[in-house]
């Protein structure tokens, strides 16, 4: 008798940028603090500080070390494949040091910050604030395939806007899992429509993974979010409120 596959545990922490403070900033390394200082808008600085401090906290907890012992290397598959490297370090943050072997992904939008963590399997997470004032018509060709645009055209104005962000969050989560990010091209991957369970229909890219799992996340309020993992195993998604962790660390 064939046993069902063992689900892959994947932990997801939600937080608010309102939890930002000097205590969290002190957890970041020198490079992260320099990037934080480049943001001119306070809200952007707060989202960055909360996201990256939370990433260090959850990686440290998983690895059994302190946040200061956690290191991240930036992995860019295009540079690894021989593309002309940029001077500025870039790419997907990959836990190193005591947290080596864990995979992590960060996203933030509006008042939502999310960090996802799994063991040994690349993951990607994305959250998007649904904005009715954004010109999504100017982004349709960039983000959606012909079939996806046709599907979205059948929705009413309100459903059309929310549906667009559902598509975007699903696709960006997938591209973040591979490490390519938006450079991988949103139209290279085709996913199910916003009213259907999240799934990958096609992936037209040399770097397309052989196996992938995709699921929507409940982000509360006017947000759409998704989680992707490059695995054939089903996902055991465990959702947490990060406020207690961040509050304790920021004291």
């Amino acid at each position: 008798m064939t046993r069902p596959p063992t689900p892959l545990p994947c932990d997801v922490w939600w937080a608010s940028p309102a939890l930002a403070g000097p205590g969290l900033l002190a957890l970041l390394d020198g490079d992260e603090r320099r990037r934080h200082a480049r943001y001119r808008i306070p809200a952007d600085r707060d989202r960055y500080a909360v996201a990256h401090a939370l990433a260090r906290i959850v990686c440290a907890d998983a690895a059994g070390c302190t946040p200061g012992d956690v290191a991240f290397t930036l992995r860019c598959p295009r540079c690894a494949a021989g593309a002309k490297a940029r001077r500025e370090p870039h790419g997907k943050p990959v836990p190193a040091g005591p947290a080596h072997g864990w995979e992590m992904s960060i996203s933030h939008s509006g008042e939502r910050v999310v960090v996802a963590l799994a063991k040994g399997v690349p993951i990607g997470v994305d959250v998007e604030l649904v904005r009715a004032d954004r010109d999504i018509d100017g982004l349709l060709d960039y983000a959606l395939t012909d079939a996806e645009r046709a599907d979205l055209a059948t929705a009413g104005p309100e459903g059309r806007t929310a549906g667009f962000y559902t598509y975007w969050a699903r696709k960006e989560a997938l591209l973040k899992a591979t490490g390519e990010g938006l450079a991988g091209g949103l139209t290279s991957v085709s996913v199910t429509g916003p009213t259907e369970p999240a799934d990958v229909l096609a992936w037209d890219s040399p770097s397309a993974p052989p196996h992938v799992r995709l699921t929507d996340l409940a982000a509360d309020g006017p947000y759409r979010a998704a989680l992707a993992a490059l695995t054939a195993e089903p996902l055991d998604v465990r959702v947490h409120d990060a406020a207690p962790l961040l509050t304790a660390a920021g004291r």
Side-chain angles (χ1 to χ4, degrees):
M1 183 176 180
T2 303
R3 293 184 179 181
T6 302
L8 171 73
C10 186
D11 289 283
V12 174
W13 285 266
W14 287 102
S16 165
L19 293 167
L24 297 186
L25 192 60
L27 296 179
L28 307 187
D29 65 20
D31 287 340
E32 289 169 329
R33 285 194 289 272
R34 282 188 286 274
R35 293 190 191 99
H36 172 271
R38 292 175 192 163
Y39 288 103
R40 296 184 178 182
I41 300 174
D44 292 336
R45 290 199 296 270
D46 290 346
R47 280 187 283 267
Y48 183 94
V50 168
H52 288 261
L54 179 57
R56 287 185 171 277
I57 292 167
V58 300
C59 284
D61 184 64
C65 64
T66 68
D69 291 328
V70 175
F72 295 105
T73 59
L74 298 179
R75 181 192 299 161
C76 172
R78 289 176 176 266
C79 291
K84 186 176 180 180
R86 288 156 37 188
R87 291 184 180 179
E88 178 76 13
H90 63 282
K92 181 182 181 180
V94 179
H100 175 75
W102 290 90
E103 293 278 346
M104 182 271 301
S105 185
I106 295 171
S107 185
H108 44 76
S109 183
E111 296 301 313
R112 306 299 283 155
V113 173
V114 61
V115 173
L117 187 75
K119 180 71 170 179
V121 171
I123 57 174
V125 71
D126 190 59
V127 60
E128 299 291 335
L129 172 62
V130 177
R131 291 176 47 190
D133 62 338
R134 191 171 184 182
D135 177 24
I136 64 172
D137 287 333
L139 293 170
L140 291 178
D141 289 345
Y142 172 74
L144 305 186
T145 65
D146 291 343
E148 290 165 345
R149 292 198 302 273
D151 176 76
L152 199 64
T154 65
E158 196 169 304
R160 184 171 177 269
T161 300
F164 173 81
Y165 284 100
T166 299
Y167 272 126
W168 188 292
R170 291 175 178 178
K171 290 172 172 244
E172 187 163 355
L174 290 163
L175 293 170
K176 289 172 76 172
T178 66
E180 290 185 301
L182 295 180
L186 290 169
T187 57
S188 69
V189 60
S190 175
V191 298
T192 48
T195 61
E196 302 171 80
D199 200 2
V200 179
L201 299 177
W203 201 328
D204 183 18
S205 170
S207 59
H211 304 290
V212 63
R213 291 284 181 169
L214 177 65
T215 186
D216 292 325
L217 298 174
D220 297 328
Y223 294 88
R224 295 295 182 271
L227 172 73
L230 306 188
T231 179
E233 311 305 322
L235 301 183
D236 175 19
V237 181
R238 306 181 296 201
V239 180
H240 313 275
D241 177 6
L245 289 176
L246 292 166
T247 300
R251 288 173 183 162

